[in-house]
Amino acid sequence: MHAITKGLVFAIYYPILAAIGVPANLAVIVILSRGRCGLSRCITYYLVSMAVTDLLVMITVVILNRIPSIYFPVSFLSITPVCSLRSVLSYAMINCSVWLTVAFTIDRFVAICSQKLKIKYCTEKTAAGVIGTMSTLSSLKTIFVYFIFEPVHIINNIPWFCSIKSVYYTSPAWVAYGWIHRILTPCLPFILILLLNALTVRHILVASRARRRLRAHSNGKNQSDPEMEKRKKSIILLFTISGSFILLYLVSLINFFHVRIAKLTYFSGSNFNESNYILQESGFMLQLLSSCINPFIYAGTQRKFREELKNGMKYPLSLIVKLFK
């Protein structure tokens, strides 16, 4: 594949991602906020907050960062302080999105595996507190990102573009910050999600066997179990969300270890012939796709969500029909 073709892929990918991701996440926010999808208020809080952060990822990372760097390489957004601020906002929104996925996984783990703790933890008040705390801490952690950049050019006393300082790769403090940053996002979330999902699966298998034995002993035959059917839907939603997160963030995580172990540097330009650059950009592409995929997961796993989405799409069409009658 030639460099021009590779550049064209990136140039087409991000506008399409924004065109799909923004309206999709807006639709999720509107539909779930109405509370007609048969989900508890606690789950709704988490899913809406995830949709809000995913929408902000689309705006800050894709629309204000990736697209301008491709189509408008020299603009007000290219001034170094603005460029640095864009990076801080981008990292903050991505961190929030990641940790809210972890928060949702923890909530579902508690709801499925501990009925006693569920009463106290799986509440609207707790959900709001967890969402607020994780969003605040995730955002504060990224403030230091502002200081890792330096200007590429200074023209008429105005600094232009952002390049990562060489000291970022050599200074013990910055190296430590880089490792802490990646350990907290997404290494630790990876571990937590995999561990909690494994424990959830183990609990489900044990509980389902016990319930089947109890129902067979009570009724003399196997019958449908409404409780297990309800739990099955919650599990499918949990595993599809957490599974897609792990798969889509995996390449970005591999790229980080590749850069650190091989003692390379991150690319800030567009060297499409470099295999390291392709790995880096592929990681970004898949990572950002994770902020666009959840609406499709809801549509595929939640029947009432699909119904609300269809009704929402029919409403403007019905208005148009009435106007022409």
Side-chain angles (χ1 to χ4, degrees), residues 1-283:
M1 186 183 290
H2 297 293
I4 295 177
T5 305
K6 295 175 183 177
L8 186 61
V9 169
F10 296 137
I12 294 174
Y13 177 80
Y14 289 114
I16 292 176
L17 188 67
I20 296 174
V22 171
N25 282 300
L26 279 173
V28 169
I29 295 169
V30 172
I31 292 173
L32 293 181
S33 296
R34 298 177 69 185
R36 298 180 181 179
C37 294
L39 300 171
S40 69
R41 294 294 298 171
C42 182
I43 295 178
T44 300
Y45 270 38
Y46 284 111
L47 297 185
V48 170
S49 66
M50 290 163 64
V52 170
T53 53
D54 286 341
L55 175 62
L56 292 175
V57 167
M58 289 292 108
I59 294 172
T60 59
V61 184
V62 179
I63 296 177
L64 294 180
N65 205 317
R66 310 303 293 180
I67 292 177
S69 66
I70 296 172
Y71 289 94
F72 310 102
V74 180
S75 67
F76 169 76
L77 296 175
S78 304
I79 298 175
T80 303
V82 179
C83 175
S84 301
L85 181 60
R86 284 190 297 150
S87 296
V88 171
L89 293 175
S90 297
Y91 279 110
M93 293 305 104
I94 290 173
N95 284 340
C96 288
S97 178
V98 169
W99 278 100
L100 288 178
T101 302
V102 175
F104 173 72
T105 304
I106 294 172
D107 177 82
R108 290 301 84 204
F109 168 75
V110 172
I112 294 170
C113 299
S114 178
Q115 294 301 309
K116 291 182 179 179
L117 187 58
K118 175 183 176 181
I119 298 173
K120 295 181 179 180
Y121 185 82
C122 300
T123 64
E124 297 177 34
K125 183 178 180 179
T126 301
V130 170
I131 291 167
T133 301
M134 284 196 168
S135 298
T136 301
L137 293 177
S138 297
S139 300
L140 290 175
K141 180 174 71 72
T142 61
I143 292 176
F144 296 101
V145 172
Y146 184 88
F147 303 101
I148 71 174
F149 297 103
E150 62 183 1
V152 177
H153 305 289
I154 297 178
I155 303 174
N156 296 327
N157 293 324
I158 299 176
W160 288 92
F161 307 110
C162 284
S163 177
I164 297 177
K165 298 175 181 177
S166 59
V167 71
Y168 178 75
Y169 303 98
T170 57
S171 168
W174 279 119
V175 170
Y177 174 76
W179 277 103
I180 292 171
H181 182 75
R182 284 298 180 182
I183 287 172
L184 292 177
T185 308
C187 294
L188 184 57
F190 262 55
I191 295 171
L192 289 174
I193 289 174
L194 288 172
L195 176 62
L196 292 174
N197 283 350
L199 293 174
T200 301
V201 169
R202 179 178 177 276
H203 176 84
I204 291 167
L205 293 175
V206 173
S208 60
R209 284 197 294 265
R211 288 180 68 88
R212 279 198 299 267
R213 286 196 299 267
L214 180 61
R215 291 176 66 84
H217 179 74
S218 302
N219 302 322
K221 58 180 180 179
N222 291 325
Q223 295 180 348
S224 61
D225 189 341
E227 177 62 26
M228 290 305 296
E229 289 297 322
K230 181 179 178 182
R231 187 173 293 183
K232 180 181 177 181
K233 294 179 180 179
S234 179
I235 293 165
I236 291 173
L237 180 63
L238 168 63
F239 285 178
T240 49
I241 290 175
S242 57
S244 67
F245 163 77
I246 289 173
L247 290 174
L248 294 174
Y249 268 79
L250 187 59
V251 175
S252 180
L253 185 61
I254 292 172
N255 180 63
F256 167 73
F257 285 113
H258 176 62
V259 169
R260 287 300 182 182
I261 294 173
K263 296 182 179 180
L264 303 173
T265 60
Y266 290 104
F267 289 88
S268 57
S270 299
N271 192 347
F272 300 113
N273 289 317
E274 278 280 353
S275 59
N276 295 331
Y277 177 81
I278 299 301
L279 177 64
Q280 173 183 295
E281 285 301 305
S282 298

Side-chain angles (χ1 to χ4, degrees), residues 276-296:
N276 295 331
Y277 177 81
I278 299 301
L279 177 64
Q280 173 183 295
E281 285 301 305
S282 298
F284 284 149
M285 292 169 70
L286 293 174
Q287 179 178 305
L288 294 174
L289 179 62
S290 69
S291 293
C292 181
I293 205 73
N294 282 352
F296 299 96

